[in-house]
Amino acid sequence: MYRAALAMAILGTVMYHLAQKLTPRAANPFLSLAVTYLVALGACLVVLATYGRNGVTRPALQQLNWTSIACGLSIFLVEVGVLLAYRANWNLKTLSLVANTSVALLLAPLGVWFFRESLTFRNVIGIALCLCGLLILQR
């Protein structure tokens, strides 16, 4: 499951960036996003219907908290930000690399501070390389 989940995330991210880059400039970005979310909602409902006993039940709903709302808002920000970045002529080869590297650099200290994750020497070297990569891309 470990590799399958990673493969799904990679495939989904590649599809996502290609679709965002190919979205017509004349299309209203918020209408496009609404259709995107309707398709995602439909896919979730289909999978949820086949998910078994752990679908939509009162106990299942009670297990949800503010994170579902925060995740929805964050997805909205990512979607609009990426679409507008491509419309502002960011390259397909650069945007994801800059954005995801920046996210990783921001998440590393948050993981240490809030989740007590360890920061190894290998992690520090990786962070330094990420910073160097961002500097090289910006020149």
Side-chain angles (χ1 to χ4, degrees):
M1 184 57 153
Y2 182 80
R3 287 191 175 124
L6 178 60
M8 285 176 58
I10 292 169
L11 177 62
T13 302
V14 169
M15 289 173 55
Y16 165 78
H17 279 280
L18 289 173
Q20 287 282 53
K21 182 72 173 173
L22 294 171
T23 298
R25 283 187 179 265
N28 181 317
F30 300 102
L31 178 59
S32 173
L33 196 53
V35 171
T36 299
Y37 287 136
L38 286 173
V39 171
L41 174 64
C44 285
L45 292 175
V46 167
V47 173
L48 187 62
T50 62
Y51 201 66
R53 295 181 294 172
N54 297 333
V56 181
T57 62
R58 179 178 227 109
L61 288 171
Q62 289 173 336
Q63 291 176 347
L64 299 178
N65 64 7
W66 62 271
T67 58
S68 296
I69 295 168
C71 194
L73 291 173
S74 67
I75 290 168
F76 173 79
L77 291 173
V78 169
E79 297 275 3
V80 172
V82 169
L83 182 58
L84 295 179
Y86 283 134
R87 287 186 178 187
N89 293 321
W90 272 84
N91 291 321
L92 188 65
K93 67 181 183 285
T94 311
L95 177 64
S96 177
L97 189 58
V98 171
N100 289 325
T101 302
S102 300
V103 168
L105 291 171
L106 291 169
L107 287 177
L110 292 175
V112 171
W113 291 329
F114 292 114
F115 299 102
R116 307 285 185 243
E117 296 174 358
S118 62
L119 194 62
T120 65
F121 180 71
R122 182 182 290 187
N123 298 137
V124 173
I125 296 298
I127 289 169
L129 290 172
C130 285
L131 286 169
C132 289
L134 284 177
L135 290 173
I136 290 168
L137 284 172
Q138 293 304 311
R139 293 186 183 237

